[in-house]
Amino acid sequence: MKITTARRISQVFFLLLLCWLAVVTTVGAKWWQHRGWPVNWLLQLDPLAAVGTLLSSHTLYAGLAWAGATVAGTILLGRFFCGWVCPFGTIHQFFGWLGRKGKSLPRQVEANRYRRSQSIKYYILAGLLAAAAMTPSSLLMGLLDPLPLITRSVNLAVLPLADAGAQKLSTTPRFYEWSWLIGGMLLAAVAANFIVPRFYCRFVCPLGAMLGVLGRWSVFRIGKRGSHCTNCKLCEKDCEGACSPASQIRISECVLCGNCLHACPHGLLAYQARKSCAGEVAGPDVTRRGLLLSIASGLAIPPLLRLSGSTEGNWNALVIRPPGSLDEKRFLDRCIRCGQCMRVCPTNVIQPGGLANGIEGLWTPVLNNRVGTSGCQLNCAACGSVCPTAAIRPFSLDEKLGRGEFASAGPLRMGAAFVDRGRCLPWAMNIPCIVCQENCPVSPKAITVREEFSPVAGGEFKVASASGATIQLAGAALSPGKFASGDYFCRVADGKRVAIVANTAETVTVSAGKDWAVPAEGQTVTIQIRLQQPFVDVQACTGCGVCEHECPVSGLRAIRVTAENESRNREHSLLL
């Protein structure tokens, strides 16, 4: 088997593995759903994510130790990860091949020539690592790191779009804010391959830059084993790394695609444990001035971002994090914006955040209680089980609900619900509604109601006549059946209040009990509506958002959750 054939098989395998792991990041009872599948394994192979979180949080999450295998393999074999494993690189390689297909040999060689601008990715890497040391590490690392980028794109754009009609992966369509930009970023990166093959890999990819730095010390490498080269350039026609194998090969750019090994008509190129006979350019083509500028920029950006005070007193209460999230500073240090928590959320309530908490919060997970099928379900801990960096730490249902050994600490609170009395139907419009109280899932309920009886407009009449439970109202022009819902009552002059069970245009029939006294002619009767006005007990409320999701007031809900009283930060507590 040719080495290029083996490489293609490996690339297809890991690309399909990425898609499969995204598919199984679905809560359900079927064998192909979230049942112990290693859904983060590809992300955990990422040394850039591991180093970034280590620098910013001074902690290496256990799962990210898998990145050591990538580092060791790179030092031994070279940049094998870019050419054989990375799913994003596979996509670029395919579309770069499409872009070159049919072009003449000189044009293909020109497309794959080395460009000094390929050093940009090393400056990006230097800036990201410097920023990680200053925090927040995730600001650009998660946006540009290819593994979180492709995982996020598949989770939040590709799969929801592919499943929109079939709905095999989810019982209802999945919606994500910012999916247009996330998908657009993927399309732009793919389209750039028609300008320069593997554009992203050559000019932008910080992970490729890191592996390129490590690869300069690799034991095995591609190089010439003879000096009688005719400079036919056939080896550069399909070179994926633009590493100039026809001359002094650039080891840091070589992605071990192996295309040059079979292209050379004289068999001069080999994968060997010694340097190329034609010489090598081992290190990246960077300048000291450029590196210093990148590092200085990386060191300066995080403090500048934090000047807004978004993680201090100027925090945005509308940014509600999933249960189990670390405090905001540590959360931003760890989150790589992979979208795993959003993909696994069964109700689709976890969404990629916008700029409400500043640019450093872009595409980090937030709760939007208007999207999806419900709020955060009480008996769900899925988001904490899939986060690859523990920005959302693992938690049990007992901890989430404040049961057993966690009873003294109480439940995990994401925030608290607040009633907007200016929009609430019972408070502002004299319309009966107890939807929020009925749907509150905690026990005992965090939403209680207080009964108030309010006269309806034009609802005071004189009794024309009365017989049994039916009262004839003088001058009445009622809508038949309007007051028979069980929420309307008659209040007679002596103060007694009885429920209306039926009405015509001129009469009302009440629920007469044993102590019912038929009102006399000329007595005043007032039709009242019973309103159950909601109140929130912030000590019992977990901020799950079910009430906000179910509120019948369209647009801006009459009951809304904010991050106030969240348990991840005691300074946000509402009560002493």
Side-chain angles (χ1 to χ4, degrees), residues 17-77:
L17 179 63
L18 168 75
C19 297
W20 173 251
L21 293 180
V23 166
V24 301
T25 310
T26 304
V27 171
K30 298 179 180 178
W31 67 269
W32 53 265
Q33 293 176 325
H34 190 47
R35 284 291 183 273
W37 293 94
V39 295
N40 290 321
W41 185 64
L42 281 175
L43 287 168
Q44 291 168 343
L45 290 175
D46 185 353
L48 184 59
V51 172
T53 53
L54 178 62
L55 285 175
S56 62
S57 64
H58 310 294
T59 303
L60 180 64
Y61 184 57
L64 293 175
W66 277 103
T70 304
V71 172
T74 302
I75 294 175
L76 177 64
L77 305 173

Side-chain angles (χ1 to χ4, degrees), residues 83-95:
W84 290 66
V85 178
C86 180
F88 203 34
T90 299
I91 294 171
H92 292 309
Q93 184 162 331
F94 174 73
F95 283 96

Side-chain angles (χ1 to χ4, degrees), residues 137-378:
S137 70
S138 68
L139 172 60
L140 291 175
M141 199 165 286
L143 295 179
L144 298 179
D145 190 341
L147 289 180
L149 191 157
I150 188 61
T151 303
R152 176 175 64 245
S153 300
V154 171
N155 282 339
L156 308 185
V158 178
L159 280 187
L161 188 62
D163 192 49
Q167 292 182 15
K168 298 294 185 182
L169 304 180
S170 179
T171 54
T172 58
R174 305 281 285 192
F175 299 101
Y176 294 102
E177 297 180 289
W178 294 93
S179 58
W180 64 273
L181 184 56
I182 293 169
M185 186 174 176
L186 175 64
L187 290 176
V190 169
N193 292 294
F194 292 93
I195 302 173
V196 177
R198 291 192 76 145
F199 181 95
Y200 192 90
C201 306
R202 296 181 187 181
F203 301 105
V204 181
C205 182
L207 176 57
M210 173 179 278
L211 298 178
V213 173
L214 294 173
R216 64 175 298 184
W217 294 292
S218 62
V219 176
F220 293 94
R221 57 192 62 205
I222 288 178
K224 288 184 178 180
R225 57 185 174 186
S227 58
H228 46 284
C229 177
T230 61
N231 201 32
C232 64
K233 298 289 187 179
L234 288 175
C235 58
E236 296 190 3
K237 180 174 75 72
D238 294 315
C239 177
E240 294 297 329
C243 60
S244 305
S247 55
Q248 288 186 317
I249 188 169
R250 296 180 177 273
I251 296 299
S252 59
E253 301 297 326
C254 178
V255 297
L256 296 182
C257 66
N259 290 336
C260 60
L261 300 180
H262 301 296
C264 181
H266 306 293
L268 290 179
L269 289 164
Y271 184 57
Q272 55 196 5
R274 57 189 179 89
K275 292 185 177 181
S276 174
C277 293
E280 296 177 347
V281 179
D285 187 11
V286 297
T287 65
R288 182 180 299 177
R289 180 179 300 177
L291 278 178
L292 290 176
L293 180 60
S294 299
I295 294 172
S297 300
L299 293 174
I301 288 175
L304 288 174
L305 292 173
R306 291 288 167 90
L307 286 178
S308 66
S310 60
T311 58
E312 303 293 341
N314 194 30
W315 66 285
N316 190 341
L318 298 179
V319 177
I320 309 166
R321 299 297 185 191
S325 297
L326 304 179
D327 64 83
E328 192 67 7
K329 285 183 178 179
R330 291 193 298 154
F331 180 85
L332 293 175
D333 291 345
R334 284 180 175 266
C335 180
I336 57 174
R337 299 166 170 83
C338 60
Q340 291 287 78
C341 57
M342 306 170 205
R343 171 69 195 155
V344 79
C345 178
T347 62
N348 198 196
V349 69
I350 304 180
Q351 295 285 310
L355 300 175
N357 203 34
I359 191 173
E360 60 184 314
L362 182 64
W363 298 345
T364 55
V366 297
L367 267 62
N368 183 336
N369 295 307
R370 292 183 55 190
V371 179
T373 59
S374 183
C376 179
Q377 295 298 293
L378 288 186

